[in-house]
Structures are given as structure tokens and as C-alpha cells.
């Protein structure tokens, strides 16, 4: 029987990686882009990423808006996978709004708190930090939804443009939701409603489990993936950063999750160009800013058709651009291919807004 020879140079690396992944302190420490807190409050802490000495302190402001139930590290996953650092390197001054942890005590918070208060306040403060200049907003997933709804509800905000990444609009075109929507026709959605009310929201463990379930095949193949790449530190470090990101996920407030479930997931309000909150109707046709929407071709959470529908409902926007890029739900924003495929779309869009402002 012939034996398989493993190159000697690979053995120390593989052994070191195996140790660091299991009993050690990890493959690489988290090195976030340094921020300075410019405002602190419940679910609204505003952090401005530091511009290095000698950098462009007059750079145009950009606000990064995350979705609920994820940490702000989605914009700053690793030094090589950091949209925040990329914006600094390309002459922008990025800030990010941090919602912090969500607990049972926050169960009464709804979309209104983000649409009418948290996001507008962050936009106003970032604008004030830059002499009242209108700002560009870059948002991921539900962060894009909340930003668009906030812009529609309060068109007087100092927003220059909005870029969304992996933001679904037509929830009927999300394959993962089909079984839930079908079951809800028979139950009236009461199972989810009762469970959410009982728990006061969607707790962090459920959010983490749901996120992992969307990549079920990847989870099943993870042991083989690790074994196959034990000698590749960079590949394992990318995997480790995703595990760290998922480990930090907070939950959803109860009232907001019920609104999301009943009005957006089941009734598909956004596909009709609106969101109904009680007696209030927020009309997406009132968004009067240029909008860029980017969807990931490998995204198991936000399908390309679900994101593309944004161009159908934003009839009041002076300019809408829709682009696709390879990547999963997180990968299209911060994966190893994002600097080459996704971020250039954002760069071009922001450059066009700057040129139009100068003209």
C-alpha cells in the first residue's frame, strides 16, 4: 500500500492552526478600525472611525447603518474585509450607528423608534459633525429597509444618497420564506406571534441559529472544510472572523419583530411600496434621493429578484441603480471578494454624488 506524503513545511502550520482553533486563543486577534464615540445612548451610540494623522479630515461623511440583530463588525470584519477602512482609504469619513444589545426590556420597541428617532438622529449628528453637509448612507440588509423608510417618512433629513447592500423588498421572492409563508396561511401566523410575545422578541440564540440555518450545507461541511484547509491560515482566519461575527449577534425587540413578521414577511407591504404601522402608512415613493442597490448572486437570504424590486417601488427617486456582485448575504458586503466586486460599485456611486454636488 502506498502512503501519502505530506509536505514537511505544511505540518507545523497545520498543527499550529489546529491548536489555535481548538485550545488556543484563535488564529488572529480582532483588529477593528479605531473609532471615537461622538454620541452615546440606548441603541443609538454613534461611532466615528478615526482618520489617521495626515489623512483627509475634510472627507465627505458616510453613515453606515447595520440591520438589527447583528454587530457593527459587519462593516469591519477584518483589516482586509473592512468597508469602514476602505471608505477611509478612498477619502471618506465613515461613522456607524451601534444599537448595542437588545434585551427583554426592549420588547416594546418597534420600527417607529428606528424610522423616526434613532436613524434620523444619527444622520443629523453626522451632518452636524461636518458643518451641516448632507451625508451619504450605506446600509446592509434590514438597515437599508429602515433607512429608506426613514427617508420616506422624513424627507427633510440631510441625506445626499442611499446605498443598500442585500436589502430585500419583495419578500414573496425569498425562497427561504416560502415554507413559513405557506404555513402561516393555515395558522394565521399565530405560532410565531405567540412565541415572539412570550419571549419578548427574537432572542440572540434564535437569531444565531437562523443565520446558521441559511447556510446549512456550509455548517455540515465545516469539519471537512477545516481539515482540508488546516495548512491555510488565511482561509481559516476568514472562517474564524465569521464565527466571531455570528457569536456577537444580539436579538430583535418583540414589537419590531412582530411588525416585521406580520407586515413585511407575511403581507409583503414593501413590495407594494409602503409599510403600514397601525393607522400610519409610510410611502416609499417619497424617497427623493439617488439610490444604489446591490444584491449578492449567492445570497441565500436576500435573492436578487427580491432586492431588484426596489427599482419598482422607489418611483420618486431621481436615480436608481441596481447592481449584482458575487457573494453570500454577509459575503457580498464583507467577503474576500467584496473589495473587487461590491465596493467598486459603492465607490463609483459616491464619486458620482460628489461630482454632482460640485457641479
Amino acid at each position: 500500500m502506498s502512503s501519502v506524503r505530506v509536505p514537511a513545511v505544511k505540518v507545523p502550520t497545520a498543527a499550529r492552526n489546529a491548536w489555535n482553533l481548538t485550545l488556543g486563543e484563535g488564529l488572529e486577534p480582532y483588529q477593528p478600525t479605531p473609532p471615537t464615540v461622538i454620541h452615546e445612548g440606548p441603541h443609538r451610540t454613534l461611532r466615528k472611525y478615526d482618520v489617521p494623522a495626515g489623512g483627509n479630515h475634510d472627507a465627505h461623511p458616510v453613515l453606515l447603518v447595520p440591520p438589527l440583530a447583528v454587530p457593527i463588525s459587519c462593516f469591519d470584519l477584518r483589516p482586509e474585509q473592512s468597508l469602514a477602512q476602505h471608505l477611509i482609504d478612498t477619502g471618506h469619513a465613515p461613522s456607524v450607528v451601534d444599537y448595542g444589545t437588545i434585551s427583554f426590556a426592549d420588547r416594546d420597541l418597534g420600527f417607529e423608534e428606528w424610522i423616526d428617532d434613532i436613524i434620523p438622529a444619527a444622520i443629523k449628528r453626522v451632518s452636524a459633525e461636518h458643518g451641516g453637509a448632507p451625508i451619504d448612507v450605506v446600509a446592509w440588509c434590514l438597515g437599508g429597509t429602515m433607512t429608506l423608510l426613514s427617508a420616506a417618512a422624513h424627507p427633510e433629513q440631510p441625506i445626499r444618497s442611499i446605498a443598500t447592500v442585500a436589502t430585500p423588498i419583495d419578500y414573496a421572492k425569498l425562497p427561504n420564506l416560502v415554507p413559513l409563508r405557506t404555513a402561516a396561511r393555515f395558522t394565521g401566523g399565530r405560532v410565531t406571534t405567540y412565541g415572539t410575545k412570550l419571549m419578548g422578541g427574537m432572542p440572540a440564540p434564535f437569531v444565531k441559529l437562523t443565520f446558521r440555518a441559511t447556510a446549512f450545507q456550509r455548517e455540515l461541511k465545516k469539519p471537512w472544510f477545516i481539515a482540508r484547509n488546516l495548512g491555510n491560515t488565511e482561509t481559516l482566519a476568514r472562517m474564524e472572523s465569521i464565527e466571531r461575527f455570528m457569536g456577537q449577534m444580539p436579538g430583535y425587540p418583540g414589537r419590531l419583530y412582530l411588525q416585521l413578521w406580520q407586515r413585511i414577511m407575511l403581507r409583503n407591504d414593501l413590495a407594494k411600496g409602503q409599510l403600514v404601522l397601525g393607522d400610519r402608512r409610510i410611502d416609499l415613493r417619497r424617497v427623493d434621493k439617488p439610490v444604489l442597490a446591490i444584491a449578492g448572486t449567492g445570497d441565500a437570504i436576500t435573492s436578487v429578484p427580491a432586492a431588484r424590486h426596489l427599482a419598482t417601488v422607489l418611483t420618486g427617486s431621481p436615480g436608481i441603480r441596481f447592481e449584482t456582485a458575487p457573494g453570500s448575504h454577509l459575503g457580498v458586503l464583507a467577503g474576500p471578494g467584496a473589495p473587487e466586486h461590491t465596493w467598486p460599485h459603492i465607490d463609483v456611486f459616491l464619486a458620482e454624488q460628489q461630482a454632482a454636488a460640485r457641479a
Side-chain angles (χ1 to χ4, degrees), residues 141-200:
C141 190
L142 191 63
T145 304
M146 296 189 298
T147 300
L148 292 169
L149 290 167
S150 184
H154 305 283
E156 73 283 357
Q157 293 183 74
I159 299 173
R160 190 170 73 170
S161 71
I162 301 170
T164 68
V165 180
T167 294
I169 297 296
D170 188 348
Y171 278 65
K173 296 175 181 175
L174 299 180
N176 284 334
L177 271 187
V178 171
L180 290 175
R181 287 168 59 88
T182 302
R185 293 173 187 169
F186 299 97
T187 67
R190 288 185 292 272
V191 174
T192 299
T193 300
Y194 292 154
T196 302
K197 287 181 177 179
L198 180 65
M199 295 182 291

Side-chain angles (χ1 to χ4, degrees), residues 7-357:
V9 70
K10 292 288 186 181
V11 175
T13 301
R16 184 170 60 251
N17 288 342
W19 172 267
N20 288 333
L21 280 174
T22 53
L23 302 176
E25 297 181 354
L27 294 171
E28 64 178 21
Y30 180 46
Q31 300 174 351
T33 304
T36 297
V37 174
I38 60 176
H39 176 78
E40 195 165 8
H43 313 307
R44 66 190 67 223
T45 297
L46 192 59
R47 306 177 190 274
K48 183 178 181 180
Y49 291 102
D50 299 341
V51 177
N56 185 1
H57 293 276
D58 297 323
H60 193 81
V62 176
L63 176 65
L64 301 174
V65 178
L68 282 152
V70 303
I72 60 172
S73 60
C74 60
F75 297 115
D76 192 31
L77 208 57
R78 300 175 65 225
E80 298 81 9
Q81 296 169 244
S82 171
L83 178 57
Q85 185 61 55
H86 173 76
L87 290 169
I88 294 173
D89 295 341
T90 51
H92 301 283
S95 300
V96 64
V97 57
D98 187 351
Y99 312 136
T101 58
I102 301 293
S103 68
F104 185 79
D106 301 310
R107 60 190 178 278
D108 293 329
L109 298 181
F111 267 104
E112 296 89 343
E113 276 72 24
W114 273 263
I115 293 170
D116 299 328
D117 186 8
I118 294 173
I119 292 176
I123 290 170
K124 183 178 179 180
R125 288 190 177 97
V126 172
S127 174
E129 281 280 315
H130 293 266
I135 70 170
D136 298 306
V137 180
V138 179
W140 179 46
C141 190
L142 191 63
T145 304
M146 296 189 298
T147 300
L148 292 169
L149 290 167
S150 184
H154 305 283
E156 73 283 357
Q157 293 183 74
I159 299 173
R160 190 170 73 170
S161 71
I162 301 170
T164 68
V165 180
T167 294
I169 297 296
D170 188 348
Y171 278 65
K173 296 175 181 175
L174 299 180
N176 284 334
L177 271 187
V178 171
L180 290 175
R181 287 168 59 88
T182 302
R185 293 173 187 169
F186 299 97
T187 67
R190 288 185 292 272
V191 174
T192 299
T193 300
Y194 292 154
T196 302
K197 287 181 177 179
L198 180 65
M199 295 182 291
M202 185 62 67
F206 284 85
V207 175
K208 297 171 188 176
L209 182 63
T210 301
F211 198 86
R212 290 184 184 279
T214 61
F216 185 62
Q217 288 187 344
R218 182 179 66 85
E219 292 295 313
L220 286 178
K221 296 177 181 178
K222 187 185 298 181
W224 169 242
F225 176 85
I226 294 173
R228 192 174 70 247
N229 290 283
L230 270 179
N232 191 328
T233 305
E234 173 64 19
T235 298
L236 293 179
R238 290 199 298 262
M239 181 203 71
E240 182 185 55
S241 70
I242 296 174
E243 293 295 316
R244 179 171 55 237
F245 165 80
M246 290 194 292
Q248 297 170 341
M249 285 181 168
Y252 286 95
R255 182 162 168 266
L256 186 144
Y257 192 81
L258 286 177
Q259 292 170 329
L260 176 65
W261 169 248
Q262 294 170 343
R263 300 300 324 183
I264 297 180
M265 292 183 181
L266 294 186
R267 302 195 184 189
N268 207 12
D269 272 7
L270 298 181
K272 305 165 191 171
Q274 64 183 10
L275 178 63
V276 177
L277 299 172
D279 296 331
R280 181 184 182 191
R281 185 186 305 270
I282 301 175
D283 191 343
L284 287 173
R285 291 176 298 180
R286 297 189 68 199
V287 175
D288 59 357
K289 312 300 180 186
V291 175
L292 165 69
I294 304 173
T297 55
D299 192 340
I301 295 178
T302 300
S303 68
V304 170
R308 184 185 285 117
H309 193 71
L310 179 144
T312 302
V313 299
L314 297 184
T315 56
S317 170
I320 301 174
R321 177 178 302 175
F322 181 77
E323 305 285 357
T324 61
S328 62
H329 194 60
L330 177 61
V332 70
L333 175 74
E340 180 182 356
H341 300 288
T342 304
W343 299 352
H345 292 308
I346 298 174
D347 294 341
V348 170
F349 181 68
L350 296 181
E352 288 176 350
Q353 309 316 309
Q354 188 72 356

